[in-house]
Every structure is written in C-alpha cells, then in structure tokens.
Amino acid sequence: MSSKTVYPVSTFGGEVCVPGDKSVSQRIAMLAALAKGTSEVRGFLRGEDAMSTLGAMCSLGATAKYDGDLLRIIGTGGRFIEPVNPLDMGNSGTGTRLLAGLLAGQKLTATLIGDASLSRRPMGRIKTPLELMGAKIDLTGEKGTLPMTVHGTPLYGIRYELPMASAQVKSAVLLAGLFAEGKTTVVEPRPTRDHTEKLFQALEIPLHIDGLEITLNGFGPGGPKIAARKLTVPGDFSSAAFWIAAVAARPGAELIVRGVGINPRRTALLDVLTRMGAMIDVEVTEDLGDPIGTVVVHGAQLRGTEIGGDEIPNLIDELPMLAVTGALAKGDTVIRDAAELRVKESDRIAVMAAHLRAFGVEVEESPDGMTVRGGAKLHTPAEALASHGDHRITMSMAMLATFADAPVRLADVDCVATSYPDFWNHLKQLGGRVD
Ligand code: S3P
C-alpha cells in the first residue's frame, strides 16, 4: 500500500484535460457488450472501476481491444455466456448495481464479488425492485451485501418509485426493463444523472421521459437489438472537480479544463462555487448527447454557503471536495439532505469530518450532512491521513494539503486509480508538489 506526501504551494493552476467519465465509460462497456458488432469508443476511462466493468463484460462474452486511444468492444449481440468464475467488480458500485440489472433477465447465473469497500455497500436497494420484476438475487454477505448471485429469470415490467435519489438504482431497473415483458417505469424523487437515458437514446432504444418519470417498453427475454456505434466518453467532471474547486478557493489562481463533460445533472458544483464567489465560465464545444466543453475558473476568497435539496444528486460525488472548499471559505458551509454520503466508498460524512478536524477545522456532523466552519488557520495533521479505500477522500485531502503550512502525509493512496490514475501527475502539472 503506497503513501504520498503533498506539500503546500503558493501558486496553483494552468490547463488540464481529465480522464474519461467513470459513469459513462461503465455504461458504454455494458451496452457495447450487448450490441451486435464492434463499437469504437474514444476516451474510455482506463481507471480500475471502468476496467473491472469491462473485464466483467469480457467474462460474459464480449471482446475488448485497445488500438492506441481507441477502444474496440466486440459485442455479444445479446447472447451473454455464463461466466466460469465470479465477476470481480473491484471497487465499482456502478458496475455492480447496473450489471445486476442487466443480468437479471438473462438465461444464466453469475456471481459478483468486490473489494472490502464495495463488500460493505448496500445492495438491497437493487435487489428489492429487481425482485419485484421477478428476478432471483442472493446476497450472501452479512448485511445484504456482496457476494451477490443473480439467477437469470423471465422479468415483468413494473412501476417503481425510487425510495432514494440514485442513478445506479434507476439504471439497474431500466437495464432489467430492457429484458422484461411489458412496460417499466421508474419515478425519481429528485433528478439524478441521466447518462443511462442519454445512452439509450443514442443507441435508438425508445424511452419516454416525463419529468421525473422514465418509461420504456421491454423487449422480452431476447432483449433489444442494438447496433454497434462510434461513441465518445467526455472527460469526467467529477475528476475535474478537484482542480476546479481548489483553484476557485485560491484568490488570483486560474484554471482551464478542456474536453470535460458538462451534463447539467453533473455540474451543480459550478453553481455552488459561483454562489461562494468564484468566477466560472463554461463553453459547450461539442454536443454528443452528453455535452462536452471548456470550464474556465478564476479563484477568489470564497464565502460559505448552504447546499441541499435538488442540488445534492447533481454534486453528490463532489461533496468531499466541497467540504474542503467550505474549510477554505469565510463563514459556515452547511451540507444537508446528503445521507447517501454515508454509504459511498466510505462513510464520507464521518471520514471528512475527522480529516478536516485533523487540520484544525471545526466541523459539526449531522445524520445527513455537516457544517464546516471556514477560515480557520490550517495546521498539519500529526498522523498520515487514512484513505479508507476511498479515492475521492484521498484526492480531496491532497487538495487541502496544498493550502496547509507543512507537508501532509496521505496513507494508502492506491485507491485514486479507481477513477483517476493520472491524478498525481496532473497535480504536479498544475504546480503541486508531491512525493
Ligand atoms: C453513479 C451514481 C451515483 C454516484 C456514483 C456513480 C452512477 O451513485 O455517486 O459515483 O454512475 O450512476 P448513486 O446512484 O448511489 O447515487
């Protein structure tokens, strides 16, 4: 397990291109594996989560080959083969939950396993709706957790009101719905990322969206006939978020991020930072279903803000970095309606509160969020900060370390490779110091 030391720096910023979107890459891996023919994918994330999902699709009969930057995925035409071994989903919650939906209606049995962090995460949230559709799913972990065995069965469409705002649960039900008899409708409590819907539309799978209700007509056990395509993965906004927020909180700093996904269901961070006093410009450069563009950030002394309600799902993965940003702002930053943070790769409320306190920041935890008292002079944590196997905790802490007054040690940082293998190189490229 490797560790890193991140040094404080007086200037930070410049230009960066971030790796491919993790959510989009994994959905493309699944749908290209389902398609007939060879899909050509540009910008596919070479991070561990996307690779785990792609590996699982290859175990189910697809073939993946890199040709330089171009990934070719040869699909199964809808005829998956029963995997010989358990599918190792690594750290990927998206891969696991979406694949459970995709496999529920296949004529095969498959077992999904994962790393320690993934094996603690709740899976009952997908088992419940999938079983309502007729699926047979065993969760053999201690608390409704992995390992999970999906025994493919005939499925029936349902109308399902999601009990939580979760794009993963929504997507699992929609993917299962493709193989069901009849109509499947999901109703969201709040809008969440819509990459599955956008990709269905790009692949000409008919879908009806009416506000928070999404309906599709199932194709039955044979599933839809999808033709392979050329697809482009936008840069991952959630990876760019670390640089965007760190520069926004540094008066006089400037940043340009090119080729990044700016789907409005992902970019609520920009609204929050603007409210906090940063100057941000966004330009759409390409619209391939999911818009891609350039984000330009000018840093300032930020002020605290309140974050909650409908904004939460659209910045859910940015909340660790927003807690850091709150510590750098003047006044209080209040995060609420974000209980989902407790069941991410780690309990991000508890871990962020503990880590910020180690820097001398006052934090009040609540069941669904926290209040961060900004503007404290940062002192350097005495102990190395644990990652808890959570990539976004490590990257958020690395950003805060650039503002500290002495080097900060980060332990067990390998997890960063799940979403951003080039993170440390890009940190250096933007003026950070790390060894
Ligand atoms: C994701 C949805 C979100 C997000 C995760 C990726 C997706 O999770 O936090 O990183 O790709 O659908 P939930 O669906 O659990 O909110």
Side-chain angles (χ1 to χ4, degrees):
M1 278 197 273
S2 51
S3 60
K4 294 272 184 205
T5 301
V6 180
Y7 294 79
V9 287
S10 52
T11 54
F12 191 74
E15 201 170 318
V16 71
C17 279
V18 289
D21 188 279
K22 186 156 80 69
S23 292
V24 175
S25 295
Q26 294 185 89
R27 285 160 169 82
I28 286 182
M30 288 181 206
L31 289 166
L34 180 61
K36 187 164 188 218
T38 303
S39 298
E40 293 189 351
V41 189
R42 294 208 177 264
F44 193 87
L45 170 65
R46 290 197 193 215
E48 285 169 6
D49 272 12
M51 288 302 153
S52 304
T53 299
L54 188 59
M57 300 324 294
C58 291
S59 302
L60 289 158
T63 307
K65 279 188 205 143
Y66 265 107
D67 178 0
D69 202 30
L70 181 73
L71 173 65
R72 290 199 173 86
I73 302 177
I74 306 170
T76 61
R79 270 186 290 277
F80 291 122
I81 54 169
E82 183 161 290
V84 183
N85 296 310
L87 302 171
D88 187 351
M89 305 309 294
N91 191 245
S92 178
T94 302
T96 305
R97 293 184 175 130
L98 272 58
L99 195 50
L102 184 59
L103 293 181
Q106 309 296 327
K107 292 188 192 76
L108 54 81
T109 293
T111 296
L112 284 72
I113 56 171
D115 69 7
S117 151
L118 184 59
S119 300
R120 282 191 294 269
R121 298 184 66 187
M123 293 296 154
R125 55 179 56 199
I126 48 142
K127 179 176 155 95
T128 301
L130 294 177
E131 284 188 341
L132 290 172
M133 299 177 82
K136 278 188 69 194
I137 293 178
D138 299 329
L139 288 168
T140 53
E142 270 173 28
K143 299 180 194 156
T145 45
L146 295 187
M148 167 164 60
T149 300
V150 182
H151 307 272
T153 52
L155 302 179
Y156 306 92
I158 54 166
R159 177 186 169 85
Y160 189 63
E161 298 195 5
L162 295 175
M164 75 288 287
S166 166
Q168 292 178 355
V169 180
K170 167 178 69 175
S171 303
V173 175
L174 290 175
L175 285 164
L178 291 178
F179 292 85
E181 295 289 357
K183 202 163 78 171
T184 294
T185 299
V186 284
V187 188
E188 303 198 81
R190 301 179 192 281
T192 67
R193 65 188 67 191
D194 55 1
H195 301 303
T196 302
E197 299 91 301
K198 286 233 144 68
L199 209 48
F200 279 13
Q201 285 162 338
L203 296 171
E204 294 176 50
I205 300 172
L207 199 66
H208 181 71
I209 303 174
D210 181 9
L212 294 174
E213 273 193 38
I214 304 139
T215 300
L216 63 79
N217 284 315
F219 295 85
K225 301 285 165 259
I226 302 175
R229 319 264 155 150
K230 292 192 165 110
L231 298 160
T232 300
V233 180
D236 197 325
F237 184 83
S238 296
S239 295
F242 298 101
W243 318 126
I244 291 173
V247 166
R250 211 179 259 277
E254 277 182 31
L255 174 77
I256 303 176
V257 191
R258 293 191 199 278
V260 65
I262 45 176
N263 178 326
R265 302 262 182 116
R266 293 290 298 281
T267 54
L269 170 78
L270 300 180
D271 305 326
V272 174
L273 292 174
T274 304
R275 210 152 74 214
M276 295 175 86
M279 281 150 293
I280 299 178
D281 291 308
V282 178
E283 191 200 339
V284 182
T285 51
E286 237 178 315
D287 200 336
L288 307 161
D290 255 328
I292 299 181
T294 303
V295 177
V296 180
V297 185
H298 294 273
Q301 171 59 64
L302 301 182
R303 12 174 224 282
T305 188
E306 296 198 7
I307 309 163
D310 277 0
E311 224 162 32
I312 293 294
N314 299 338
L315 47 65
I316 187 74
D317 292 340
E318 285 60 79
L319 285 167
M321 189 57 208
L322 269 171
V324 163
T325 313
L328 299 167
K330 278 210 171 92
D332 288 359
T333 292
V334 182
I335 299 169
R336 56 171 71 95
D337 306 321
E340 278 293 305
L341 284 185
R342 297 215 178 261
V343 290
K344 291 294 175 190
E345 287 84 329
S346 68
D347 176 343
R348 287 182 173 162
I349 295 177
V351 174
M352 284 306 296
H355 283 2
L356 288 174
R357 285 184 195 123
F359 278 89
V361 179
E362 237 184 89
V363 184
E364 225 175 87
E365 232 186 271
S366 68
D368 68 346
M370 64 186 105
T371 299
V372 181
R373 296 209 192 299
K377 176 159 173 31
L378 298 179
H379 34 84
T380 304
E383 309 267 316
L385 294 170
S387 70
H388 297 265
D390 187 335
H391 53 139
R392 300 201 201 281
I393 294 289
T394 301
M395 293 188 274
S396 301
M397 286 302 118
M399 292 292 90
L400 188 58
T402 67
F403 291 86
D405 59 0
V408 174
R409 281 182 308 127
L410 304 175
D412 186 14
V413 300
D414 294 340
C415 51
V416 163
T418 61
S419 63
Y420 203 161
D422 271 336
F423 177 77
W424 304 110
N425 290 335
H426 287 182
L427 177 62
K428 287 184 202 158
Q429 179 188 320
L430 292 171
R433 275 191 60 209
V434 53
D435 59 34

